[in-house]
Amino acid sequence: MSIPQPTAVPALRPGYRMQWEPVQNCHVLLYPEGMVKLNESAAEALKRVDGQRSINEIIAELQACFPSAPELDEDVLAFMGEAHEQRWILFR
């Protein structure tokens, strides 16, 4: 897995969208071929992926919301790299 640059600006790929799924009791990422159930951490990061904010800005927002979470920046960078490899997001 490659780790993206913190200044990269992620966006959901065309045709992908995130929503709360009451039946699953979690956020999901919907795409033409299916659905991915997201854990709480992944959902919090993807909620902020809008094609405008850099990964650094997303990390700063998450740190403000979850100040007790250790090593948040490393986890978010790793997740963004994985989301990119899974083809959920692209970088602008």
Side-chain angles (χ1 to χ4, degrees):
M1 172 182 62
S2 62
I3 302 297
Q5 292 296 316
T7 55
V9 177
L12 289 176
R13 286 193 176 273
Y16 285 60
R17 67 183 167 93
M18 195 180 98
Q19 72 180 36
W20 175 256
E21 185 59 53
V23 174
Q24 302 287 337
N25 196 34
C26 66
H27 282 93
V28 297
L29 183 64
L30 300 172
Y31 57 99
E33 298 85 29
M35 174 184 81
V36 176
K37 290 173 66 173
L38 301 170
N39 66 29
E40 199 171 319
S41 298
E44 287 298 330
L46 280 182
K47 281 181 196 175
R48 291 161 174 81
V49 170
D50 61 4
Q52 303 296 316
R53 290 179 267 207
S54 69
I55 295 174
N56 273 339
E57 291 171 310
I58 292 169
I59 289 170
E61 286 184 30
L62 290 169
Q63 286 174 329
C65 291
F66 305 100
S68 63
E71 301 175 11
L72 188 69
D73 53 343
E74 293 174 18
D75 291 343
V76 173
L77 282 168
F79 171 72
M80 292 294 177
E82 181 66 25
H84 184 256
E85 286 188 8
Q86 294 294 323
R87 303 185 52 78
W88 302 345
I89 63 171
L90 49 85
F91 295 114
R92 296 184 188 252

